[in-house]
Amino acid sequence: MRFDRFFVMQPEDAARYARHRGFFAPDAALSCREIGDGNINYVFRVRDEATGQAIIIKQAGETARISDAFKITTDRVRIEYEMLRRYNELAPGLSPKVYDYDDVMHCFAMEDLSHLTIMREALIARRRLPHFVEHITTFLVQTLFYTTDIALDPKEKKALVRRYINPDLCEITEDLVYTEPFTDAKRRNDPFPPNRDWIAREIYGDAALRREVAALKWQFMTEAQALIHGDLHTGSIFVDERETKVIDPEFAFFGPIGYDVGNVVANLMFAWAHAEATIEAEMERSDDLHWLEQTIAGVVDRFQAKFLAAWRKDARDPLAHDEAVARDYVSRIVADSAGVAGLELARRIIGLAHVKDITSIADPERRARAERILLRTAKMLIMRRVAHRDGADFVETLKAARAREDASLASTDGE
Amino acid sequence: MRFDRFFVMQPEDAARYARHRGFFAPDAALSCREIGDGNINYVFRVRDEATGQAIIIKQAGETARISDAFKITTDRVRIEYEMLRRYNELAPGLSPKVYDYDDVMHCFAMEDLSHLTIMREALIARRRLPHFVEHITTFLVQTLFYTTDIALDPKEKKALVRRYINPDLCEITEDLVYTEPFTDAKRRNDPFPPNRDWIAREIYGDAALRREVAALKWQFMTEAQALIHGDLHTGSIFVDERETKVIDPEFAFFGPIGYDVGNVVANLMFAWAHAEATIEAEMERSDDLHWLEQTIAGVVDRFQAKFLAAWRKDARDPLAHDEAVARDYVSRIVADSAGVAGLELARRIIGLAHVKDITSIADPERRARAERILLRTAKMLIMRRVAHRDGADFVETLKAARAREDASLASTDGE
């Protein structure tokens, strides 16, 4: 079979394809496994049995792998490939290297990262990641500040905006993150049954909350602030104790910077809730929570510090040479991040796509409590987002939500 | 000469061109005049001497007509043509009809409006325009609300965003409106000499003002809210006592709605300042000012009312079906409009491009005073833009600025 016309590859095709593209010697003995765990793409690991060397081939189908009825543009793979190349330039070492792009087969080849672990799994396994805060904040500032109008030539930026308009993938976010969790509009939400009534009352029943969500949605749909990753949860990050690699930027487009920062923060909060609910020994739990709280606060604070440093060094707009202007700008990003963190918490609990940090809490009561703590956190983050000025504010909100949940439980017990 | 390769036409070429495109009979006796008064394009009026029928041919050069050194994309004429077609669909009767587009000659043909007057001239001549408020607010709501994500399918909207990215013309606005008047960055500002020191102190010397201008600039550069006209001053509107026709949408792109609304308001304020400075008879002056104040307030209030009515009728986003959400949205537009009105007032007085309403005030002291009143208005509009909630607030700011100017003059007199 040749590769001059698109088809969805099987592992044996991917191995032959990798050889065909010159990644392996013609006589190499190759093995290949499909290792994709997402809903829409195919990911092949092709390995030379003799040398142990491997590469990844990622392919996009013309429909999602979970459903032929779900058509989704293959342009996403072009965007993902180009973004990874940009990441390698803007934030070297913090993404897989990419080798090759094929717009016929809608696939590209990249560095094999199988020595690393998906961050969500690492956090559930209670691994400490001593460099994560520094790595991810460098990644955020390098990829985000340097694609704003503050740092780029405005015409070059507008050309990039045009290049990365991403209607299909934005629609997924608009529906699943910004709309459905607060309205159950398409009846696709999937709340944990014990919390169903609570969610109906506290979320669907809260018009003031929906009003703030609407404002955040219009911002997501209109604000071309920087070239964001668009799906930066802990399932999009490979880690170990030394390395951090961001993957999967197929949702990339020019959107609000807070969308990326807020997703990182929210997904650390899932890990916090997991630890809170599952670690039995008091001392161990408190240690783990403390590390996660420091990590949450560290992401916000180091992001701000590095963003301001990059601004001072490289802002090119004539109005930008003023510390107060820079601080206004970054404060607004932090407030936006709080709002987005709230949205991500809510949608992963109420909406269609859940996270293992929560679903793996075996005890139903503990899981229900963890969810309510995070949903209370979500509401506070959304409603009082401008009150969130630094990392400590985020941690305080999380703890206040736990205190409220415990107080509410205590008062219910007394009924 | 044929028309299969681009060249800048002379009037005799334009007449032959109009015949060539079939607008006139082969044997019609045609006259043609170049009637463009702008800095960048050529506008030809071709007239059949026998029937009196005429059409307009508008052509874009590859450089601006004022300077060969100033290169500017001819894509602007494609945008202008397409926008006028959209206007005819979205707001019928409020723009010239367009007949023909030629992407070789970079020109298009449209309805002759020479029975109408440019609104700036009409206002300077103290004509009352009884339908202007209703016409322009219908135009604004029809062209703006119906190109937001609230009313459009989000994917269709993103396709339009891509289609109307307009880097060259946005750059002009970014420089001339948002940057230079507050920094004199390229030393192109051209303040009226008697106000030079006052402007240096009150504008260039005001860091807090520049900080708010920066926030407005980032908004202009990032917020793809609706397909705005982008240059909606009273020189872009033809009027008489019955008709209103918006022309010249070559600056169109997806930007903040307040940019269009604020430009209309600011240019009515120029007419107010002209009347205030030039009409001798107390009663006549007060009558004219009253009409202009009602017009300013009417634009803001009728815009809001019609925008909300359109929202109630045609909002399609699931989060939009809530009066509070609609009111939040329109309130933010009104605040943005205040900010933009302030910017437009400042840039037309301080910056490179002046308006006749002000330059035609013959008495230098009166002109200087009129400018200072408007610059004081500008500062209040920018600094306290969120305090502007309805039309009366805009008029109050204008009057408060006059009172401040008079008080300051009185205290200087006492020195």
Side-chain angles (χ1 to χ4, degrees):
Chain A
M1 199 178 278
R2 289 158 57 191
F3 301 101
D4 53 2
R5 246 183 78 187
F6 176 76
F7 66 97
V8 173
M9 291 189 279
Q10 296 301 314
E12 55 277 19
D13 304 315
R16 223 172 45 249
Y17 177 83
R19 200 195 312 275
H20 164 77
R21 300 291 280 200
F23 289 110
F24 298 98
D27 57 349
L30 300 180
S31 68
C32 180
R33 271 197 319 138
E34 209 281 316
I35 57 171
D37 61 352
N39 297 325
I40 43 183
N41 301 305
Y42 305 88
V43 182
F44 301 97
R45 181 165 181 260
V46 185
R47 186 169 174 277
D48 182 328
E49 291 295 323
T51 66
Q53 292 208 306
I55 62 159
I56 301 296
I57 308 282
K58 183 163 181 179
Q59 185 180 37
E62 288 165 339
T63 54
R65 67 185 287 174
I66 44 163
S67 162
D68 273 352
F70 183 26
K71 299 226 179 302
I72 176 168
T73 174
T74 52
D75 190 45
R76 68 190 191 272
V77 78
R78 190 265 309 168
I79 288 178
E80 180 167 352
Y81 168 76
E82 290 187 6
M83 289 300 297
L84 287 172
R85 287 188 53 129
R86 276 175 201 285
Y87 288 166
N88 276 283
E89 277 169 36
L90 290 167
L94 297 172
S95 289
K97 292 190 173 59
V98 283
Y99 305 123
D100 195 29
Y101 169 62
D102 180 341
D103 71 351
V104 172
M105 291 298 290
H106 305 314
C107 68
F108 65 94
M110 64 179 152
E111 183 182 3
D112 175 40
L113 297 175
S114 39
H115 64 293
L116 302 178
T117 309
I118 282 293
M119 185 171 172
R120 192 180 305 286
E121 300 295 339
L123 291 175
I124 289 172
R126 302 176 52 196
R127 282 167 68 180
R128 302 280 167 95
L129 307 166
H131 301 298
F132 175 71
V133 165
E134 288 307 317
H135 286 170
I136 201 70
T137 53
T138 293
F139 175 85
L140 289 166
V141 169
Q142 289 297 116
T143 63
L144 298 172
F145 174 72
Y146 288 97
T147 56
T148 64
D149 285 294
I150 311 302
L152 277 184
D153 173 83
K155 289 187 185 180
E156 190 185 334
K157 187 247 184 177
K158 288 177 185 75
L160 290 177
V161 169
R162 179 187 269 145
R163 188 167 185 94
Y164 296 107
I165 283 177
N166 199 348
D168 282 14
L169 285 93
C170 282
E171 183 184 45
I172 295 175
T173 305
E174 290 157 13
D175 289 350
L176 291 187
V177 179
Y178 285 88
T179 307
E180 295 174 23
F182 305 95
T183 59
D184 201 15
K186 293 187 185 170
R187 304 275 176 261
R188 289 197 297 193
N189 286 348
D190 183 20
F192 187 49
N195 278 335
R196 219 172 259 162
D197 292 346
W198 192 93
I199 287 168
R201 191 176 65 242
E202 293 289 326
I203 306 293
Y204 303 158
D206 188 340
L209 176 66
R210 209 158 42 243
R211 183 171 166 188
E212 294 305 316
V213 170
L216 288 164
K217 184 176 183 185
W218 317 147
Q219 184 190 18
F220 181 81
M221 295 177 92
T222 58
E223 193 183 15
Q225 187 174 28
L227 186 48
I228 69 172
H229 179 287
D231 196 29
L232 196 52
H233 56 82
T234 45
S236 297
I237 307 173
F238 271 114
V239 292
D240 69 7
E241 284 65 19
R242 289 177 312 277
E243 290 186 285
T244 305
K245 303 273 188 189
V246 173
I247 61 169
D248 284 359
E250 67 188 332
F251 281 80
F253 77 109
F254 272 83
I257 290 174
Y259 195 80
D260 280 355
V261 181
N263 263 286
V264 173
V265 168
N267 280 274
L268 289 166
M269 288 179 171
F270 287 125
W272 182 94
H274 179 86
E276 220 272 342
T278 57
I279 305 176
E280 295 297 337
E282 174 84 35
M283 185 87 93
E284 279 181 43
R285 184 171 67 239
S286 128
D287 265 14
D288 272 34
L289 293 182
H290 183 68
W291 182 78
L292 285 162
E293 288 158 13
Q294 281 190 310
T295 304
I296 290 166
V299 167
V300 175
D301 293 337
R302 294 296 294 148
F303 169 78
Q304 287 201 71
K306 289 181 186 178
F307 196 94
L308 288 172
W311 184 299
R312 283 178 209 119
K313 185 165 155 285
D314 290 318
R316 50 152 294 289
D317 191 285
L319 294 180
H321 304 128
D322 175 347
E323 184 72 12
V325 169
R327 288 191 182 275
D328 286 348
Y329 194 98
V330 82
S331 295
R332 208 168 69 77
I333 295 174
V334 172
D336 294 345
S337 304
V340 169
L343 293 164
E344 172 74 1
L345 291 176
R347 76 104 165 191
R348 295 290 194 178
I349 293 170
I350 303 170
L352 188 61
H354 296 243
V355 289
K356 192 174 165 189
D357 321 54
I358 301 303
T359 57
S360 68
I361 301 171
D363 180 282
E365 264 183 51
R366 288 188 181 193
R367 174 172 168 186
R369 174 177 176 274
E371 289 191 354
R372 289 192 306 269
I373 291 172
L374 293 180
L375 288 174
R376 289 178 190 277
T377 306
K379 287 180 71 163
M380 289 192 264
L381 287 169
I382 293 167
M383 297 304 291
R384 300 194 294 114
R385 55 195 182 280
V386 291
H388 290 80
R389 312 276 307 172
D390 62 22
D393 293 333
F394 286 76
V395 172
E396 220 168 88
T397 293
L398 189 56
K399 289 182 176 174
R402 178 174 56 187
R404 277 197 200 180
E405 172 61 22
D406 290 343
S408 136
L409 219 61
S411 80
T412 314
D413 284 351
E415 270 171 22
Chain B
M1 199 178 278
R2 289 157 56 192
F3 301 101
D4 54 1
R5 246 183 77 187
F6 176 76
F7 65 98
V8 174
M9 290 188 279
Q10 296 301 316
E12 56 276 21
D13 304 316
R16 224 172 44 251
Y17 177 83
R19 200 195 312 273
H20 165 76
R21 299 291 280 200
F23 290 108
F24 298 98
D27 58 349
L30 301 180
S31 68
C32 180
R33 270 194 322 135
E34 209 282 315
I35 57 170
D37 63 351
N39 297 324
I40 43 182
N41 301 306
Y42 305 89
V43 182
F44 302 98
R45 181 165 181 261
V46 186
R47 189 170 171 274
D48 183 327
E49 291 295 324
T51 66
Q53 293 207 304
I55 61 159
I56 300 296
I57 307 281
K58 182 163 181 179
Q59 185 181 36
E62 287 165 339
T63 55
R65 68 185 286 173
I66 45 163
S67 162
D68 273 353
F70 183 27
K71 299 223 179 306
I72 175 166
T73 174
T74 53
D75 191 43
R76 68 189 190 273
V77 78
R78 190 263 310 167
I79 288 178
E80 180 167 350
Y81 168 75
E82 290 187 6
M83 288 301 297
L84 287 172
R85 287 188 53 129
R86 275 174 201 286
Y87 288 165
N88 276 283
E89 278 169 34
L90 290 168
L94 297 172
S95 289
K97 292 190 171 59
V98 283
Y99 304 123
D100 194 29
Y101 169 63
D102 180 340
D103 71 351
V104 172
M105 291 299 289
H106 305 314
C107 68
F108 65 95
M110 65 179 151
E111 183 182 3
D112 176 38
L113 297 176
S114 39
H115 63 293
L116 302 178
T117 309
I118 282 292
M119 184 171 174
R120 193 181 304 287
E121 301 294 340
L123 290 175
I124 291 172
R126 302 176 51 196
R127 283 168 65 181
R128 301 279 167 97
L129 307 167
H131 300 298
F132 175 71
V133 166
E134 287 307 318
H135 286 169
I136 201 70
T137 52
T138 293
F139 176 86
L140 289 166
V141 169
Q142 289 298 116
T143 62
L144 298 172
F145 174 72
Y146 289 97
T147 55
T148 63
D149 286 295
I150 311 302
L152 277 183
D153 173 83
K155 289 187 184 180
E156 190 185 335
K157 188 248 184 175
K158 288 177 186 76
L160 290 176
V161 170
R162 180 187 268 144
R163 188 165 185 95
Y164 295 107
I165 284 178
N166 198 349
D168 281 15
L169 284 93
C170 282
E171 183 184 44
I172 295 174
T173 304
E174 290 157 13
D175 289 351
L176 291 187
V177 178
Y178 285 87
T179 307
E180 295 175 23
F182 305 95
T183 59
D184 202 15
K186 293 187 183 168
R187 304 276 175 263
R188 288 197 296 193
N189 286 348
D190 183 20
F192 188 49
N195 277 335
R196 220 172 258 163
D197 292 347
W198 192 93
I199 287 168
R201 193 177 62 243
E202 292 290 327
I203 306 292
Y204 303 157
D206 188 341
L209 176 66
R210 208 157 44 243
R211 183 171 165 187
E212 294 305 316
V213 170
L216 288 165
K217 184 176 183 184
W218 316 147
Q219 185 190 17
F220 181 81
M221 296 176 91
T222 59
E223 194 184 13
Q225 188 174 27
L227 186 47
I228 69 172
H229 179 287
D231 196 29
L232 195 53
H233 56 83
T234 45
S236 297
I237 307 173
F238 271 114
V239 291
D240 70 7
E241 283 65 18
R242 289 178 312 276
E243 290 186 285
T244 305
K245 304 272 189 190
V246 173
I247 61 169
D248 284 0
E250 67 188 333
F251 281 80
F253 77 110
F254 272 82
I257 290 174
Y259 194 79
D260 280 356
V261 181
N263 263 287
V264 173
V265 167
N267 280 274
L268 289 167
M269 289 181 172
F270 287 126
W272 182 93
H274 180 86
E276 220 269 341
T278 58
I279 305 175
E280 296 296 338
E282 174 83 33
M283 185 88 92
E284 280 182 41
R285 184 171 67 241
S286 130
D287 266 12
D288 272 35
L289 292 182
H290 183 69
W291 181 78
L292 285 162
E293 288 158 13
Q294 281 190 310
T295 304
I296 291 165
V299 168
V300 175
D301 293 337
R302 294 295 294 149
F303 169 78
Q304 287 201 72
K306 289 181 187 178
F307 196 93
L308 288 172
W311 184 299
R312 283 177 209 119
K313 186 164 153 284
D314 290 319
R316 49 151 294 290
D317 191 285
L319 294 181
H321 304 129
D322 175 347
E323 184 73 11
V325 169
R327 289 192 180 275
D328 286 349
Y329 195 98
V330 82
S331 294
R332 207 168 70 79
I333 295 174
V334 172
D336 295 345
S337 304
V340 169
L343 293 164
E344 172 73 1
L345 291 176
R347 75 104 165 192
R348 295 290 194 177
I349 293 170
I350 303 170
L352 188 61
H354 296 245
V355 289
K356 193 175 166 189
D357 321 55
I358 300 303
T359 57
S360 68
I361 302 171
D363 181 282
E365 265 184 50
R366 288 189 181 192
R367 172 171 170 187
R369 173 176 176 275
E371 289 190 355
R372 288 193 306 269
I373 291 171
L374 293 180
L375 289 174
R376 288 178 191 277
T377 306
K379 286 180 72 162
M380 288 192 266
L381 287 169
I382 292 168
M383 298 303 292
R384 299 194 294 114
R385 56 194 181 279
V386 291
H388 291 80
R389 312 275 307 171
D390 63 21
D393 293 333
F394 285 76
V395 172
E396 219 167 273
T397 293
L398 189 56
K399 289 183 176 175
R402 177 173 59 187
R404 276 197 200 182
E405 172 60 23
D406 290 343
S408 136
L409 219 61
S411 79
T412 314
D413 284 353
E415 270 172 23

